[in-house]
Amino acid sequence: MEVSVESGFCSSTGNYSSKWNSPVLPQTPHLSLPSFLFSQLSPDALLKPAFIDAKSGKSISYGELRSLTNTVAHVLHSLGIKKGDVVLVVAPNFLHYPLLVLGVMSVGAIFSTANPLHTRLELQYQIQDTNPKLILTTQTLKSKLDEGMGSRPLLILLEELMDSLLHNPQHYPTFNVIINQDDIAALMYSSGTTGKSKSVVCLHRNFISMSCSLRHVWEAEDGAFNDIYLCVLPLFHMFGLSLFVCGTLAIQSTTVVLNKYSLEDMLVSVEKYKVTRLPVVPPMVVQLVRLQDGVKGYDLSSVKEVMCSGAPLGRVHMERFSKCYPQMRLSQCYGLTETCGPITLCNGFSGMVHESIGGLTPHIEAKIVDVRTGKPLPPLECGELYVRGPSVMKGKFFLSIK
């Protein structure tokens, strides 16, 4: 069996494999993503900020995140939410967004989310598709959800919910419900490039695997525990959700949350919080280059890496970026909603600029297949990408959950 070390290609099977040694995945059948993440917490992390609001500076420590997640689970249970119910969050980024994700999953319910910029009709389609028992949204977005929703689910304003949780704290015993790794954790919506956006069924096992992979790769970097990430990506999208719930919590680093993207707010946050790693999408890289004269007034010396994904980043933009910001490593990664996050990363590869999307993450196998013959192809050939691994979705829902 001849395997190319650089590409991970095996000529006898036609498979590409990861260069990373795959970490052992937890085999306990009764395990949820929140219980997995909190079981890994070190004593040093309990008082450390897990999330910081970029504008106000308010923060949630890891210890508070664990406690509040349990509180959210109890509150949802008191509202009649039970295992298997769908809870839909329609909101932009805010400090407590990851808390809601973990709280919903802790009660055994299924987390789903929608783009807050969706029209009323787009939201109506998604609500009919997932049939949520509860919708959590903001006062500003409430009007989009007030009419035309058929059988009305319970709707609660996030401002009122979070005000009650934070200003009337109660001590609850640990919420106890049996959640299996093969239970559905989330329904995340794909881009819908070939038609209407479809709901991707993600299991707790998928997210746990993603957490293990990101932790394994990121911890190989020096100082991962002390890294400061800036979340400018939408948390309603799988790219943001996987990095800032599965990833940064797994390595117990700190994430600064920006409620709404603007270049100025991003630059101010980088300087103020000494951000070291900045996940972005291509238009943000282009904007950093195009408006470089305005950027010079900010101290960005803390940034070690700009990680770009969501679409291909053109070579010309990468070359211009490297000239403007030679001290920053510019890397790309690739993933799908259907893979619960990134399946390639550039970590471990030398160089400051990576035109490639990197190598496969732990546990992921891939094939490049000739679309006419179905035969696997070696490196440097064009074909269709096949992937498999424990983070790959269970399937897609085309009809409402009953």
Side-chain angles (χ1 to χ4, degrees):
M1 181 183 296
E2 185 178 347
V3 178
S4 168
V5 175
E6 184 177 356
S7 67
F9 178 71
C10 176
S11 57
S12 62
T13 65
N15 291 351
Y16 294 81
S17 58
S18 174
K19 75 180 184 69
W20 295 93
N21 294 323
S22 295
V24 176
L25 299 177
Q27 299 302 309
T28 308
H30 304 317
L31 188 66
S32 67
L33 174 65
S35 60
F36 168 74
L37 290 172
F38 292 135
S39 70
Q40 307 296 307
L41 279 184
S42 65
D44 292 340
L46 292 177
L47 298 178
K48 178 181 179 179
F51 297 100
I52 302 174
D53 182 82
K55 282 290 182 71
S56 69
K58 294 179 180 179
S59 65
I60 306 175
S61 70
Y62 274 88
E64 290 169 333
L65 182 66
R66 181 173 63 183
S67 174
L68 285 171
T69 294
N70 185 60
T71 300
V72 170
H74 277 277
V75 170
L76 292 175
H77 181 69
S78 71
L79 293 171
I81 302 303
K82 61 185 183 300
K83 183 177 180 180
D85 288 338
V86 176
V87 176
L88 175 65
V89 176
V90 185
N93 287 3
F94 67 106
L95 177 63
H96 300 102
Y97 200 113
L99 169 64
L100 294 179
V101 178
L102 297 174
V104 169
M105 292 183 184
S106 292
V107 81
I110 301 168
F111 174 82
S112 190
T113 184
N115 187 338
L117 297 179
H118 273 348
T119 64
R120 185 191 298 270
L121 287 176
E122 288 171 326
L123 289 171
Q124 182 177 354
Y125 161 74
Q126 192 167 328
I127 288 170
Q128 291 174 344
D129 193 50
T130 56
N131 191 26
K133 182 79 172 287
L134 169 67
I135 298 176
L136 299 172
T137 192
T138 65
Q139 180 67 55
T140 305
L141 296 169
K142 181 175 180 291
S143 60
K144 286 187 181 182
L145 300 161
D146 271 340
E147 299 176 8
M149 296 303 174
S151 57
R152 291 181 58 82
L154 180 63
L155 190 149
I156 293 179
L157 295 179
L158 287 167
E159 293 91 343
E160 296 177 359
L161 175 64
M162 297 317 304
D163 183 70
S164 175
L165 288 176
L166 299 175
H167 293 95
N168 300 290
Q170 298 186 45
H171 298 288
Y172 292 97
T174 301
F175 191 85
N176 188 19
V177 61
I178 296 176
I179 302 173
N180 298 314
Q181 287 203 51
D182 288 329
D183 287 336
I184 300 174
L187 299 176
M188 300 294 291
Y189 275 74
S190 63
S191 60
T193 51
T194 57
K196 280 190 174 182
S197 181
K198 299 176 181 64
S199 181
V200 175
V201 182
C202 306
L203 308 179
H204 284 271
R205 183 182 304 280
N206 300 145
F207 286 123
I208 291 169
S209 169
M210 180 56 61
S211 288
C212 290
S213 293
L214 290 175
R215 180 179 63 188
H216 186 73
V217 173
W218 286 352
E219 282 187 340
E221 301 269 346
D222 291 336
F225 180 82
N226 296 314
D227 271 329
I228 308 293
Y229 285 77
L230 181 61
C231 174
V232 297
L233 303 173
L235 288 166
F236 64 79
H237 190 276
M238 184 62 87
F239 187 20
L241 185 74
S242 63
L243 293 192
F244 301 117
V245 176
C246 295
T248 58
L249 292 183
I251 60 172
Q252 298 167 42
S253 60
T254 296
T255 298
V256 178
V257 180
L258 199 61
N259 298 81
K260 183 180 180 181
Y261 172 76
S262 77
L263 179 62
E264 182 181 4
D265 287 342
M266 183 177 76
L267 297 174
V268 168
S269 299
V270 169
E271 181 178 67
K272 180 178 179 180
Y273 296 102
K274 305 300 179 187
V275 169
T276 60
R277 299 199 184 274
L278 180 59
V280 297
V281 291
M284 297 176 188
V285 174
V286 174
Q287 193 176 31
L288 281 169
V289 173
R290 183 167 55 87
L291 302 177
Q292 59 179 295
D293 289 339
V295 174
K296 291 177 181 177
Y298 298 89
D299 180 7
L300 308 183
S301 60
S302 61
V303 179
K304 297 186 292 186
E305 180 181 26
V306 173
M307 181 194 304
C308 188
S309 190
L313 181 61
R315 176 183 295 180
V316 64
H317 298 305
M318 302 192 81
E319 291 174 347
R320 289 173 180 170
F321 182 90
S322 67
K323 291 178 181 178
C324 296
Y325 308 98
Q327 80 283 8
M328 297 184 195
R329 179 177 181 232
L330 179 60
S331 64
Q332 297 191 84
C333 64
Y334 174 75
L336 303 161
T337 304
E338 291 83 353
T339 60
C340 296
I343 55 170
T344 74
L345 292 167
C346 287
N347 299 67
F349 291 93
S350 61
M352 292 297 288
V353 177
H354 296 281
E355 293 181 27
S356 163
I357 57 173
L360 294 171
T361 56
H363 297 290
I364 294 295
E365 291 181 283
K367 278 186 177 181
I368 307 296
V369 176
D370 188 300
V371 294
R372 292 170 298 178
T373 66
K375 293 181 179 180
L377 298 171
L380 305 180
E381 297 289 339
C382 294
E384 190 171 56
L385 175 65
Y386 290 13
V387 298
R388 68 181 178 190
S391 68
V392 176
M393 66 173 186
K394 179 180 180 181
K396 288 187 178 181
F397 275 12
F398 296 88
L399 299 173
S400 298
I401 300 173
K402 301 298 183 183

